[in-house]
């Protein structure tokens, strides 16, 4: 199949089962990941960065081998709706973002993206239909080079038993585990 072809209907079908429903952000994310993939040379092993924890990580996990669990997808929360795919050894790659200046033509997408309407006022089908028609048109892409420190493998170092909860944890976290240092979400 032509590598420039993106089957949006098939993708939306997969989004429904993976993400729970066809969220606009994940659907736009599909076009964004597709655009980034078409920039990467054939055969290059790439890693991914999502600049937001919302929606884009799921698009990346659906369309690339990069997942949070295998470590090839990093979420670095910069609060921007953007992602990048880059050569995992050399760090050269491409960053794709949603271009605000290109949204004037697409009022439904703009209202959703800038939260200009309440959820109730938004027509979900109208947003989706504009996203499908806009596709790559609302995305911007630029080459990036990843800082060397972000290319390093995750290394947890030595593992110890926490004296407080008796569970294993990376010793580099301190004399007790991060939960026992007060970071636990549990009451
Ligand atoms: Zn502990």
């Amino acid at each position: 199949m032509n590598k420039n072809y993106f089957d949006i209907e098939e993708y939306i079908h997969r989004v429904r089962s993976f993400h729970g429903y066809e969220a606009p952000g994940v659907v736009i994310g599909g076009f964004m990941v597709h655009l980034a993939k078409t920039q990467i040379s054939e055969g290059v092993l790439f890693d991914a960065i999502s600049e937001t924890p919302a929606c884009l990580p799921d698009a990346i996990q659906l369309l690339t081998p990069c997942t949070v669990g295998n470590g090839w997808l990093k979420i670095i929360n910069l609060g921007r709706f953007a992602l990048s795919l880059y050569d995992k050894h050399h760090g050269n790659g491409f960053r794709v973002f949603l271009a605000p200046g290109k949204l004037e033509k697409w009022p439904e997408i703009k209202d959703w993206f800038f939260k200009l309407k309440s959820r109730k006022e938004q027509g979900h089908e109208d947003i989706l239909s504009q996203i499908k028609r806009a596709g790559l048109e609302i995305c911007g892409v630029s080459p990036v080079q990843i800082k060397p420190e972000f290319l390093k493998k995750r290394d947890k170092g030595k593992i110890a038993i926490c004296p407080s909860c008796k569970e294993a944890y990376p010793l580099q976290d301190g004399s007790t585990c991060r939960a026992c240092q007060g970071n636990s979400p549990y009451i």
Side-chain angles (χ1 to χ4, degrees):
M1 190 175 287
N2 183 341
K3 88 172 215 175
N4 290 317
Y5 176 73
F6 181 52
D7 187 341
I8 183 64
E9 294 302 337
E10 192 260 351
Y11 172 68
I12 288 176
H13 186 76
R14 292 173 62 206
V15 169
R16 252 180 234 130
S17 70
F18 186 69
H19 188 82
Y21 75 110
E22 59 278 64
V26 187
V27 177
I28 291 180
F31 284 108
M32 294 168 69
V33 174
H34 173 73
L35 177 56
K37 275 168 74 181
T38 58
Q39 308 293 310
I40 302 262
S41 304
E42 204 81 39
V44 167
L45 292 177
F46 60 83
D47 279 1
I49 287 174
S50 174
E51 297 185 16
T52 170
C55 291
L56 292 184
D58 283 2
I60 293 167
Q61 293 182 114
L62 278 164
L63 293 172
T64 76
C66 307
T67 73
V68 172
N70 68 19
W72 300 346
L73 164 59
K74 289 188 193 75
I75 297 169
I76 298 175
N77 190 0
L78 304 175
R80 298 191 296 191
F81 200 73
L83 60 91
S84 57
L85 301 183
Y86 56 91
D87 183 312
K88 68 168 72 203
H89 301 298
H90 303 104
N92 55 305
F94 293 89
R95 176 176 184 270
V96 175
F97 53 97
L98 197 57
K102 295 179 178 175
L103 293 183
E104 293 307 325
K105 252 182 80 184
W106 307 98
E108 297 293 337
I109 304 176
K110 187 184 171 191
D111 288 352
W112 161 78
F113 190 60
F114 285 98
K115 297 188 197 283
L116 299 179
K117 281 183 185 172
S118 71
R119 279 221 163 191
K120 272 194 180 153
E121 290 173 302
Q122 289 175 3
H124 183 68
E125 289 308 318
D126 297 335
I127 300 173
L128 275 193
S129 125
Q130 288 208 346
I131 291 172
K132 285 189 221 173
R133 281 189 290 141
L136 302 176
E137 201 186 300
I138 53 176
C139 304
V141 61
S142 55
V144 286
Q145 179 67 44
I146 305 295
K147 291 178 182 167
E149 59 263 39
F150 286 89
L151 295 179
K152 282 186 202 138
K153 278 238 161 94
R154 286 185 295 195
D155 183 6
K156 285 189 284 199
K158 276 207 165 111
I159 304 297
I161 299 288
C162 171
S164 176
C165 67
K166 315 291 184 215
E167 291 192 36
Y169 77 105
L171 190 56
Q172 65 187 19
D173 287 349
S175 55
T176 64
C177 78
R178 288 174 48 76
C180 294
Q181 287 171 37
N183 298 304
S184 168
Y186 312 116
I187 293 171

